[in-house]
Amino acid sequence: MDDEVGAAGGLIRLTFLVQGVYAEVGRDCDLTAAQAQMLCSVADRSVGMAELSAVLGLEKSSVTGLVDRAEQRGLVLREQDPSDRRAVRVSLTPAGRRALTKFRAEVTARLDEVLDALPATERERFTRTVRRIVADVPAVFAD
Amino acid sequence: MDDEVGAAGGLIRLTFLVQGVYAEVGRDCDLTAAQAQMLCSVADRSVGMAELSAVLGLEKSSVTGLVDRAEQRGLVLREQDPSDRRAVRVSLTPAGRRALTKFRAEVTARLDEVLDALPATERERFTRTVRRIVADVPAVFAD
DNA sequence: TATTGTTATACTCTATAACTATA
DNA sequence: TATAGTTATAGAGTATAACAATA
């Protein structure tokens, strides 16, 4: 009766699996899940706090703390927005870029490994369906 | 180029989607994700702290805190293990059972809703593949 | 007035280390 | 000695509310 996993239960276990990979790789790269998320959202751009707040689904004050800690660790940089004196632009430092690159590569490799265990046709169908389901979910982890 | 979601990226977005559902429903039921997880792991049994620690993948001391707060909120109960005077058995109170039932029902309904948006054949294939992938992941969310 | 961002505060979650009591 | 669990402590993450500066 443990085999009797409902569809929803399966999705939840899958989420656990992915979260586990995230946490493990994060440990390797010395990033928490929240930090990794944030670095992914900044990536190669320069982002305002309000936008980060929206993308990450966190309160502005939470983002302030997240960016504070990442800045102290030398992963990101705050710069004044030249066109709006209230605003701040967050971008990655070289160290932040390195950490993000490593994190993304390892997460991708690990998840691809999971998918590669499937027969080719099944894998392709599965991936296509996943894409369809998440079409509306914001791309925090852009490729 | 936002359509160019790699297979791994898709999985990650899917995880976000499920985590979002978890968080939202949790808010409805006044449960944090960690608490919901813990209640799911206790369910209809009576569980030792060490076992909870193993199932949830948390340090013993973390579980102590988790159970403390849930106990203060009247969701779980600590009882002495009659056969081992060091040990403790954790079980749900009626309120805890109610919260868990509501949580599980709502999460399941929300996720089923997502899946129901798919054509029947695709949905069945997808669910089958998910089951295959997670065959080895512990069932925290038993049906 | 609305928006951008920060500060102050409080709570949850988590880990590490040291400890008690029992096996 | 090993196991079950707690306490003390510290840090990350998050939210709410109040605030300052700028638009």
Side-chain angles (χ1 to χ4, degrees):
Chain A
M1 36 206 66
D2 209 339
D3 305 296
E4 262 300 345
V5 185
L11 271 187
I12 290 173
R13 288 210 219 176
L14 184 59
T15 294
F16 268 59
L17 192 158
V18 175
Q19 279 183 288
V21 169
Y22 236 72
E24 264 186 58
V25 172
R27 221 175 302 132
D28 272 14
C29 300
D30 200 34
L31 293 175
T32 64
Q35 265 167 359
Q37 223 63 264
M38 195 262 285
L39 296 191
C40 287
S41 304
V42 176
D44 295 322
R45 316 179 291 144
S46 129
V47 192
M49 299 297 277
E51 188 186 341
L52 264 185
S53 167
V55 172
L56 296 171
L58 299 174
E59 288 301 317
K60 292 179 304 176
S61 60
S62 304
V63 177
T64 295
L66 208 49
V67 170
D68 279 351
R69 291 184 292 273
E71 196 175 22
Q72 276 162 21
R73 294 192 41 206
L75 299 171
V76 301
L77 209 60
R78 270 184 179 98
E79 287 168 316
Q80 242 203 4
D81 186 325
S83 65
D84 184 339
R85 288 196 352 223
R86 296 169 303 180
V88 151
R89 313 295 308 173
V90 180
S91 56
L92 299 188
T93 63
R97 214 176 332 272
R98 276 195 300 276
L100 173 58
T101 301
K102 184 180 174 198
F103 178 81
R104 271 212 289 228
E106 285 197 23
V107 167
T108 302
R110 294 276 213 103
L111 294 181
D112 283 345
E113 211 172 286
V114 169
L115 294 173
D116 283 347
L118 298 171
T121 308
E122 186 174 359
R123 176 174 65 245
E124 277 150 32
R125 280 197 183 122
F126 176 74
T127 300
R128 210 174 314 129
T129 301
V130 168
R131 284 204 190 96
R132 179 182 288 207
I133 293 177
V134 302
D136 307 321
V137 179
V140 178
F141 192 98
D143 302 272
Chain B
M1 36 207 65
D2 210 339
D3 305 294
E4 262 301 347
V5 184
L11 270 186
I12 289 173
R13 289 210 217 176
L14 184 58
T15 294
F16 267 60
L17 192 158
V18 175
Q19 278 184 286
V21 169
Y22 235 72
E24 264 186 58
V25 172
R27 221 175 302 132
D28 272 13
C29 301
D30 200 34
L31 292 175
T32 64
Q35 265 167 357
Q37 223 62 266
M38 196 262 285
L39 297 189
C40 287
S41 304
V42 175
D44 295 322
R45 315 178 293 144
S46 129
V47 191
M49 298 296 279
E51 188 186 342
L52 264 185
S53 167
V55 172
L56 295 172
L58 300 174
E59 288 301 317
K60 292 181 303 176
S61 61
S62 304
V63 177
T64 294
L66 207 49
V67 170
D68 279 351
R69 290 183 293 271
E71 196 174 23
Q72 276 163 19
R73 295 193 38 206
L75 298 171
V76 301
L77 210 61
R78 271 186 178 95
E79 287 168 316
Q80 241 204 8
D81 186 325
S83 65
D84 184 340
R85 291 197 347 224
R86 295 170 302 178
V88 152
R89 312 296 305 174
V90 180
S91 57
L92 299 188
T93 62
R97 215 176 331 273
R98 275 196 300 277
L100 173 58
T101 301
K102 184 181 174 198
F103 178 81
R104 269 211 290 226
E106 285 197 23
V107 167
T108 302
R110 295 276 212 104
L111 294 181
D112 283 345
E113 210 172 289
V114 169
L115 295 173
D116 284 347
L118 298 170
T121 307
E122 185 174 1
R123 177 172 67 244
E124 277 150 32
R125 279 197 183 123
F126 176 74
T127 300
R128 210 175 314 128
T129 302
V130 169
R131 284 203 189 95
R132 180 183 285 204
I133 294 177
V134 302
D136 307 321
V137 179
V140 178
F141 192 96
D143 303 271

